[in-house]
Amino acid sequence: MTKRMVERVKLLASRFSLRPQTANPSLETPSAQPVSTAPAMPANEAARLNALQQYDILDTLPEKAFDDLTALAAYICGSPISLLSLTDAHRQWFKSTVGLPVTEAPREIAFCAHAILQPEKLMIVPDMLEDTRFATNPLVKSDPNIRFYAGTPLVTPDGYPLGTLCVLDRTPRELTPEQQQALQALGRQAIAQMELRLTITKLERQQQRYQQAEAKLRASDQQVVDLLEGITDGFLALDQQGRCTFVNRRAGEILQQQPEALLGNPIGETLTTVLGPAFGEEYHQALKQQSSISFEKFSEPLAVWLEVRTFPVYGGLSVFIHDITQRKTIEDALHYQQEQTQRLLLNVLPQPILARLKLENGIIADSFAAATVLFADLVGFTALASQISAPELVSLLNRIFSTFDQLTEKYGLEKIKTIGDAYLIVGGVPSPRLDHAEAIANIALEMQQAIKEFRTPQGEPLRLCIGINMGPVVAGVIGTKKFSYDLWGDTVNVASRMQSHTPADSIQVTEAIYQQLQGQYRFEERGLIAVKGKGTMKTYLLLGKKSEAEQGNGSEAQ
């Protein structure tokens, strides 16, 4: 939000006698202006508000984990504004914001208060002015002039919608299906992060209770026993020989043993059976040296994740056993969602470029002194498109380009884009390599073989024209809402001309390619051809790779 918009919000507040402002900036409803349709209350509002309070997150300081999610939502959806909002009884409070420096807004004008009414759906409003719920909303009619909204509800594992992760824009627009899926995935990550935050808070509180318990050990044996029996973790007290002198009920439940059977016996063998030999070695070392250890491991016999910690105490060790299966499940789910988001971004940008985007601000543009560019185009595909149905056309192109994508990965090349039925590949970009020309020649020959496996719905063979050129190029990321990685330069233009002047079923290359590869590949000289914008150029047709004997003799098949 610009400085002018912030001043506009302050002016509205002073003009319409809004409720007292807090130390944090907020958006208020002018009492004298007409208000759009007020959001209804969820049927389970009381239970929902109670669930929200359990997370103890309202009015807390910013946290990087949530800021990363709102920033990523804005980045993926190409939106100037992104909010992670929580809907309280009378307000909408923002845990994290991008592009809108406020911390709360009245619930009666909150877009997200509508979104939580259908927690199973992604709410999208392409144009606020065309939706009767929001047409006269002050946030739409005046600064910040919101026109587009998309929000995914943040739903707890128990099914309570606490708020939304949303993106907004000042112009009407839509989200692509991929952006919608990504926004929903980030919403699931947000609630998983809240769950993880709650779990960590509980663990920290438990740790505090453990420390308090140890401070009271010498004060009263009975008080200690009562306390240890009341905690949610398993607890065992061991003497210097590792024999169990005390075990609480919870420890017996976790280890699936009767507490009486453990008392007076060395516990090391039982713990080693549950957690494996690696823990057994550390445990015996801790017992011998009276030192602390902390260990997390999945117990195959018990089918649970356990955290075991030992602390040296007077006369032995204290052992705490905590079932962390739920926490591990949440962490695994969060890790999976992060991998899904990474995989989605890698479908748009090369991995090295994506890594740079995470670290760098500003334009990404690079010059490459040497690269090889390939253009491939299906012969007569435009005419074919008018003869077959749209599903058949898209299905055929998808199968062909998926095959080409596999070849691109096989040879370590970079697919830049498809344009209709044309396919653009580059070697030596974004990661330079010395054999870029050879790699492009190899994939071109294999693409010509691969296209023979495809037929039109009428059973006719498909034919491919390929043009190749090498030289300097410029590559970089363009776009502000939908990023793409592209190439520019005379080398790219000439490669395109090579393809457009190529006979069907042929691979036409420039003299630069011929000079680079003539010792390894067979060529046929085509002679001089007229090339738009370049005049006459000497070109060659790539026929195949020379045998080792031909390469050794230095012969050329013309």
Side-chain angles (χ1 to χ4, degrees), residues 122 176-188 337 344:
L122 176 67
T176 66
E178 293 79 7
Q179 290 172 323
Q180 295 179 31
Q181 293 173 7
L183 184 59
Q184 290 175 309
L186 292 174
R188 291 190 291 271
Q337 292 299 335
L344 177 65

Side-chain angles (χ1 to χ4, degrees), residues 105-345:
R107 181 168 176 171
E108 59 267 27
I109 65 169
F111 308 137
C112 299
H114 291 270
I116 65 172
L117 298 178
Q118 293 183 298
E120 72 283 358
K121 294 182 179 180
L122 176 67
M123 175 175 152
I124 299 179
V125 184
D127 190 343
M128 290 288 187
L129 291 178
E130 295 182 3
D131 192 313
T132 56
R133 295 174 296 175
F134 311 110
T136 58
N137 191 298
L139 305 180
V140 176
K141 297 295 290 182
S142 59
D143 285 341
N145 300 112
I146 302 301
R147 292 290 297 278
F148 166 81
Y149 172 89
T152 183
L154 307 179
V155 184
T156 70
D158 294 329
Y160 296 112
L162 305 184
T164 68
L165 176 64
C166 61
V167 292
L168 306 96
D169 208 330
R170 299 182 181 90
T171 58
R173 53 171 296 190
E174 291 279 4
L175 293 183
T176 66
E178 293 79 7
Q179 290 172 323
Q180 295 179 31
Q181 293 173 7
L183 184 59
Q184 290 175 309
L186 292 174
R188 291 190 291 271
Q189 287 194 45
I191 199 67
Q193 186 63 40
M194 290 173 62
E195 287 285 325
L196 182 59
R197 182 181 184 276
L198 180 61
T199 300
I200 292 173
T201 299
K202 290 179 178 179
L203 289 174
E204 291 174 346
R205 290 171 179 172
Q206 288 178 343
Q207 178 65 29
Q208 293 174 355
R209 289 198 293 270
Y210 300 157
Q211 293 173 351
Q212 295 171 357
E214 290 182 358
K216 295 179 180 179
L217 280 175
R218 296 178 180 85
S220 170
D221 290 344
Q222 187 58 48
Q223 287 181 350
V224 170
V225 170
D226 292 341
L227 177 63
L228 293 177
E229 284 291 355
I231 64 175
T232 57
D233 285 3
F235 174 80
L236 303 100
L238 310 180
D239 63 16
Q240 293 181 339
Q241 286 72 44
R243 291 173 299 201
C244 184
T245 60
F246 175 83
V247 54
N248 69 355
R249 175 187 53 81
R250 181 59 180 151
E253 293 174 354
I254 294 175
L255 297 175
Q256 299 179 12
Q257 299 274 343
Q258 291 296 326
E260 296 77 9
L262 298 174
L263 285 172
N265 296 318
I267 199 66
E269 183 176 345
T270 299
L271 295 178
T272 301
T273 300
V274 171
L275 295 172
F279 171 78
E281 295 177 5
E282 291 197 35
Y283 163 77
H284 288 293
Q285 189 73 11
L287 186 64
K288 180 179 179 180
Q289 299 182 357
Q290 286 291 287
S291 59
S292 299
I293 63 171
S294 180
F295 196 89
E296 292 183 3
K297 186 173 177 60
F298 182 76
S299 170
E300 295 287 351
L302 304 181
V304 294
W305 274 94
L306 295 178
E307 179 188 48
V308 179
R309 291 172 294 162
T310 71
F311 302 94
V313 294
Y314 179 77
L317 286 179
S318 290
V319 180
F320 290 89
I321 305 175
H322 181 60
D323 185 340
I324 58 171
T325 305
Q326 184 178 15
R327 191 192 85 193
K328 283 291 186 180
T329 301
I330 295 173
E331 290 175 350
D332 290 345
L334 179 60
H335 181 67
Y336 173 78
Q337 292 299 335
Q338 290 171 338
E339 287 183 340
Q340 291 293 94
T341 302
Q342 180 77 0
R343 198 172 295 119
L344 177 65
L345 292 174

